Amino acid sequence: MKFHTAVLHAGKTELEKYGATLPPVYQSSAFEQQSAESLAGIFENKAPGYCYTRVANPTVTAFEMRITKLEGGIASVACASGMAAITNAFLNILQSGDEIVTSASLYGGTIDLFRNLGAFGIQTIFVENNNWEAFEGAIGEHTKLIFAETIGNPGLDVTDIERLAELAHSHGLPLIVDNTTATSYLIRPLELGADIVINSSSKYINGNSSAISGILTDSGHFKWTREKYPVLGEYLKYGPMAYISRMRATVFRNFGACLSPQNAFLNLMGLETLALRMEHQCENALGLAVWIREHYPELSVNFPGLESSPWHEIARKQLENGYGAILTLRAGSKERAFTFIDNLKLALQVSNIGDTKTLVIHPASTISLHSTQKQKEEAGIYNDLIRVSVGIEDLEDLIGDFQQAIESMEKQ
Ligand SMILES: *Cc1c(COP(=O)(O)O)cnc(C)c1O
């Protein structure tokens, strides 16, 4: 199935048994079994079935199966948020004393999470993205995983996934990629060699800002070993399902950040239009970026679809169907950035991306507030930077709104 078809039909479950065209919302915390033995079987992971929604739920399964198909993996685990998915992905293999090597160009919440992991004895080394010597130099005997975002939020650097996966594998390490900003519409990191892909489905997958959620998908290709990943020990017998089996049996159910069935349903609704929305949003973003560059070059618009982006070549090689729908610009100072944002009439001031509506934010004072100055610089977050998540409005209206906001800023 090609992508526009797959978002509607891939990974269908048996849920629609009365001919419903949508999966039902199984809004139930627990599921009855007909015998003590069958409930025991489900608890031991020996029989398929449902017992308790924190562990699994049929509507959530339907969402997981569709994402698994779209990302080209073998299984997915949906979580209460993108942050919960990232946390589960890491803690499923890490122990105190382990290290993570990551691209420094990341979503602020993920940088904050790395700091929290420090309290549990897990250290993180941040390196410049796509700097292969820096990655090589940072990998040591305690390193257990490599992490990067497909398109850094909001640095908008495009990771060369194929190359980073090769580098990770040459050290016997898995590559975990956050694909939130690109989505499987633009790129399927697992096909390029990444081992686990994570999406904050609160963003483009949901598309309407109606539910917080996250999901991770395993390729099943990584060769885990008992020596390097002792926590996976007893699950290695499940072969390619070792990673997901351990997660479902331990950290996922015990940390308890499960996805509600209602939110899984909202995501399934959103998913149906993912391709259509992304197509239009990517076109709008390119159109807006080109317009800003032509009319206001001093605003240093950054967008991977512009040849001026240092990441344009990687983006061209790697992304299909577009260059994403996020752009940034630099107003010259924090005060001018605030004035510009306040003057926008159509774009909403919202700490989110991937909505149908155009959203705008000043990252340095919001999503990256808790990062150190050094972390901000490494992540490409300047004091005058404005991030725009371009929506599906008519491009002419967006240009009109940006033009009047820029002109009002110039007058002040
Ligand atoms: C929003 C975001 C997250 C976190 O997702 P939540 O659903 O808000 O927890 C992680 N990574 C990226 C790139 C994001 O944009």
Side-chain angles (χ1 to χ4, degrees), residues 235-306:
Y235 297 91
L236 293 175
K237 60 176 184 270
Y238 299 114
M241 284 297 287
Y243 177 87
I244 294 285
S245 302
R246 197 241 170 192
M247 184 175 293
R248 286 219 175 267
T250 62
V251 293
F252 172 70
R253 75 163 72 186
N254 297 331
F255 291 160
C258 64
L259 181 60
S260 86
Q262 182 69 37
N263 286 354
F265 176 77
L266 291 170
N267 288 344
L268 281 163
M269 291 305 88
L271 252 183
E272 297 202 338
T273 56
L274 175 67
L276 284 178
R277 284 184 281 109
M278 283 303 283
E279 196 173 346
H280 195 59
Q281 287 175 280
C282 291
E283 265 173 36
N284 270 356
L286 180 62
L288 189 60
V290 167
W291 179 84
I292 298 171
R293 189 200 51 197
E294 275 172 13
H295 294 82
Y296 302 97
E298 67 281 10
L299 295 180
S300 316
V301 60
N302 182 20
F303 180 66
L306 295 181

Side-chain angles (χ1 to χ4, degrees), residues 35 67 142 146 161 163 171 175 204 210 222 229 263 274 279 281 289 299 340 345 355 376 383:
S35 72
I67 294 290
H142 300 296
I146 309 286
I161 306 240
R163 192 133 181 221
H171 290 272
L175 173 62
Y204 291 99
S210 66
F222 191 73
Y229 301 94
N263 286 354
L274 175 67
E279 196 173 346
Q281 287 175 280
L299 295 180
F340 170 74
K345 295 193 166 79
D355 198 308
K376 281 188 203 169
N383 239 349

Side-chain angles (χ1 to χ4, degrees), residues 11-310:
K12 264 217 175 116
T13 58
E14 301 300 306
L15 293 178
E16 296 92 334
K17 60 181 172 183
Y18 298 110
T21 56
L22 300 173
V25 183
Y26 281 93
Q27 193 68 44
S28 183
S29 308
F31 297 85
E32 185 195 10
Q33 295 299 324
Q34 296 308 322
S35 72
E37 200 179 332
S38 65
L39 192 55
I42 293 170
F43 262 77
E44 287 174 80
N45 292 320
K46 285 190 177 142
Y50 296 93
C51 59
Y52 195 57
T53 284
R54 171 158 50 73
V55 179
N57 173 286
T59 313
V60 176
T61 304
F63 173 54
E64 289 168 342
M65 289 180 68
R66 189 149 300 164
I67 294 290
T68 300
K69 291 282 185 210
L70 296 179
E71 287 287 2
I74 60 163
S76 299
V77 177
C79 303
S81 67
M83 292 315 303
I86 297 173
T87 306
N88 272 291
F90 292 167
L91 295 188
N92 194 40
I93 46 175
L94 298 180
Q95 301 186 95
S96 174
D98 289 345
E99 282 177 9
I100 298 169
V101 173
T102 180
S103 150
S105 178
L106 298 177
Y107 172 69
T110 308
I111 295 175
D112 293 348
L113 171 68
F114 286 127
R115 185 178 317 125
N116 297 151
L117 292 179
F120 299 91
I122 296 165
Q123 298 307 325
T124 304
I125 302 171
F126 294 89
V127 300
E128 188 187 7
N129 202 10
N130 293 324
N131 181 337
W132 313 115
E133 278 156 30
F135 271 100
E136 289 277 358
I139 294 170
E141 59 168 320
H142 300 296
T143 309
K144 293 296 162 72
L145 67 90
I146 309 286
F147 183 74
E149 291 178 5
T150 318
I151 306 178
N153 175 11
L156 303 183
D157 48 320
V158 183
T159 303
D160 188 333
I161 306 240
E162 219 165 356
R163 192 133 181 221
L164 189 55
E166 251 170 50
L167 187 150
H169 296 161
S170 72
H171 290 272
L173 298 169
L175 173 62
I176 303 185
V177 170
D178 180 338
N179 200 28
T180 303
T181 45
T183 80
S184 52
Y185 175 71
L186 296 183
I187 181 171
R188 282 162 303 286
L190 301 183
E191 286 172 5
L192 296 175
D195 300 287
I196 287 141
V197 64
I198 301 170
N199 283 279
S200 163
S201 35
S202 319
K203 314 290 172 54
Y204 291 99
I205 289 175
N206 174 282
N208 304 284
S209 300
S210 66
I212 296 291
S213 63
I215 186 160
L216 62 93
T217 307
D218 185 2
S219 74
H221 291 319
F222 191 73
K223 300 279 172 279
W224 308 101
T225 61
R226 194 177 300 270
E227 296 66 43
K228 196 148 188 168
Y229 301 94
V231 291
L232 288 178
E234 61 178 296
Y235 297 91
L236 293 175
K237 60 176 184 270
Y238 299 114
M241 284 297 287
Y243 177 87
I244 294 285
S245 302
R246 197 241 170 192
M247 184 175 293
R248 286 219 175 267
T250 62
V251 293
F252 172 70
R253 75 163 72 186
N254 297 331
F255 291 160
C258 64
L259 181 60
S260 86
Q262 182 69 37
N263 286 354
F265 176 77
L266 291 170
N267 288 344
L268 281 163
M269 291 305 88
L271 252 183
E272 297 202 338
T273 56
L274 175 67
L276 284 178
R277 284 184 281 109
M278 283 303 283
E279 196 173 346
H280 195 59
Q281 287 175 280
C282 291
E283 265 173 36
N284 270 356
L286 180 62
L288 189 60
V290 167
W291 179 84
I292 298 171
R293 189 200 51 197
E294 275 172 13
H295 294 82
Y296 302 97
E298 67 281 10
L299 295 180
S300 316
V301 60
N302 182 20
F303 180 66
L306 295 181
E307 274 167 27
S308 53
S309 161

